[in-house]
Amino acid sequence: AAAILIGLGALIGGGAYTYHAYTTHVAEQQAEADRKQRQQSLVKAQNKWDGRKRKADDLVSTIKASPVAENSDVQKAMEALQKTTTGNPMTEKDITSALEKLDGEYEKTNRTYTDAMQAKAKETRTTLDGLVQQANGLADAPDGNDKKQMQSLASQWKSTEITSDNLSDAISASTELKNLISKVDKAKKDADAKKKAEEESRAAETTAAAKETTAAAKETTKASETSY
């Protein structure tokens, strides 16, 4: 009987040990699964942060190369955005918090940049309209290479829609057109002045000739009267 009890005790003890080993193994597997899930979640968050940061850096590069890079509002917004990308969050919680700040500043900066580009495009369109009108007013200027280029440029931009894609080209065109108009206008004024001087010279010559003719006629008349 004693032997049987001892055997039963050993059997029960062995079963308890087996169950404990099993539950421990399951707990270890679950812990490992949880660790892997946290690691994957962190990696996913880090990749998301890296992607958003690259996007922000691209926007900054675009702004710096744009016609509104010197705009004070754009500069302030861009600097605020850059500050949100300088950190290096390590935990998922920190990354989530940093992403919220970055996304907020990105939207503000992009909106400020877009508004500034639209305003600049409108301003440039108005400038070009005025320049095209001036160019048309020089149609009677002396022919030449400057006039030909001026008319070609004015024709090209007289009705072209200005967008963010061609804004830089439009600004360059307005500067070039302004310079050409100045040259053609000077050529016209010089030609007009020369023409006026020639006309005045011819008029003076005609007047002098007329005076000489009148004087000669008077002398002839006087001579005729004296002979009588």
Side-chain angles (χ1 to χ4, degrees), residues 75-94:
Q75 285 186 337
K76 289 177 182 178
M78 182 178 67
E79 290 169 1
L81 174 61
Q82 287 177 300
K83 288 180 180 179
T84 65
T85 65
T86 56
N88 187 30
M90 300 300 292
T91 67
E92 188 173 357
K93 181 180 178 180
D94 290 342

Side-chain angles (χ1 to χ4, degrees), residues 105-124:
E105 291 300 335
Y106 180 92
E107 291 303 321
K108 290 179 183 178
T109 303
N110 192 46
R111 183 168 58 251
T112 302
Y113 165 66
T114 300
D115 290 346
M117 287 288 283
Q118 290 176 344
K120 189 67 175 178
K122 185 177 180 180
E123 174 191 323
T124 303

Side-chain angles (χ1 to χ4, degrees), residues 159-196:
S159 58
T160 300
E161 181 183 2
I162 300 176
T163 65
S164 59
D165 293 330
N166 66 358
L167 179 54
S168 293
D169 291 337
I171 292 173
S172 297
S174 65
T175 299
E176 184 179 357
L177 186 55
K178 184 178 180 180
N179 291 334
L180 288 168
I181 287 173
S182 179
K183 292 178 180 179
V184 175
D185 183 55
K186 183 179 184 303
K188 182 178 184 302
K189 288 177 179 177
D190 289 345
D192 289 345
K194 182 180 179 181
K195 181 180 179 181
K196 182 179 180 181

